[in-house]
Amino acid sequence: MPDLPAVPDVDALRAALDDVGYLADDALATALFLAMRIGQPLLLEGEPGVGKTRAATALAEALDTTLLRLQCYEGLTAGEALYEWNYPRQLLSIRLAESRGEQLRDADLFTEDYLLARPLLAAISHPGPRPAVLLIDEIDRADDEFEAFLFEMLAESAVTIPELGTRRAIVPPVAVLTSNRTRDLHDALKRRCLYHWIGYPDPRRVEEIIRRRVPEAAGWLASRVAPAVQRFRALDLLKPPGVAEAISWTTALHVLGVADLDVAAAERTLGAVLKYDEDAATARAAGLATLIPHA
């Protein structure tokens, strides 16, 4: 079992997450705890901005361990996520050897000294004693081929480097995958993962999150922004605002030093909470005065 003395149960993990500023409900805290104890990857899905990525970073902070993040994108290859060879350094070594009249073999060039570990190999190679947290962010943006490679690697906790052999994790990482569900993931990947959906929190929880994340802002701002964001989400928007937008909006209002969240203040900072011009137009058509709660 990995060295996790500070989190013997779900309540302890939830308290540890709270200490680093992340408010997890019981279901999410349980999912994260099981990912740690069972050693199964955890797939977090939900709308953008609900705190999926932050859940993984907060877990690493709560465990006081290394966070290794792989940001997925279309066209991402296994090599880019796993390892690369330091070709400029290899070339320099070849030229130095030639200047001395020496001949380098392939075995001299493909060694640990020239290996550049990317997040997946770094997670497998992590020495412990506590497991690293491996965040594979937005897996739904990657291609099918990379997804297939990934679930085999996670299942085995091992990778093979042709020149150096197979690397097997001594302390397997706690793997957290996030998805905005822009496409369906393969059943084979889902079968290998624990699963949790993070929905939009209610206004009271959003208010508490804002107070944690923007402590320098006046207390009344959180109590006004949280219900306003919920009212925005009730509109027919292309990109409904999540917790991240609520935090950004509060920060913008605080930086501007607004004394009241009124229509004028909302209009000036609308770009912090709504990210499409069409959504801003929808909000204006609905009437900003009706969307902003009164003090």
Side-chain angles (χ1 to χ4, degrees), residues 69-131:
R69 179 176 180 177
L70 174 64
Q71 178 63 52
C72 297
Y73 54 87
E74 186 177 354
L76 176 66
T77 65
E80 291 169 326
L82 190 56
Y83 70 90
E84 292 180 299
W85 292 107
N86 191 335
Y87 294 118
R89 187 175 178 187
Q90 288 174 323
L91 183 58
L92 179 61
S93 295
I94 291 172
R95 289 177 176 172
L96 287 174
E98 289 175 345
S99 69
R100 295 192 296 262
E102 300 172 356
Q103 184 81 26
L104 291 181
R105 302 169 301 163
D106 286 349
D108 298 320
L109 293 170
F110 292 94
T111 66
E112 295 282 354
D113 292 338
Y114 300 97
L115 188 66
L116 298 175
R118 298 310 182 201
L120 296 185
L121 179 59
I124 292 292
S125 304
H126 183 68
R130 296 188 178 185

Side-chain angles (χ1 to χ4, degrees), residues 133-210:
V133 173
L134 173 60
L135 168 59
I136 302 172
D137 217 6
E138 298 184 314
I139 181 60
D140 51 321
R141 292 183 180 274
D143 300 329
D144 291 350
E145 293 78 7
F146 180 78
E147 187 181 330
F149 158 78
L150 183 64
F151 65 66
E152 291 298 339
M153 190 219 79
L154 292 175
E156 299 295 330
S157 287
V159 296
T160 297
I161 303 172
E163 298 85 355
L164 299 176
T166 298
R167 301 289 182 87
R168 194 170 300 277
I170 298 174
V171 183
V174 179
V176 178
L177 291 72
T178 73
S179 168
N180 295 327
R181 202 183 271 185
T182 58
R183 68 172 178 86
D184 287 333
L185 301 176
H186 288 193
D187 288 341
L189 178 64
K190 290 185 175 180
R191 282 197 304 270
R192 286 166 169 80
C193 295
L194 299 167
Y195 179 84
H196 183 73
W197 173 268
I198 300 182
Y200 291 119
D202 62 52
R204 291 183 62 183
R205 181 168 286 271
V206 172
E207 181 179 340
E208 182 60 27
I209 293 171
I210 292 172

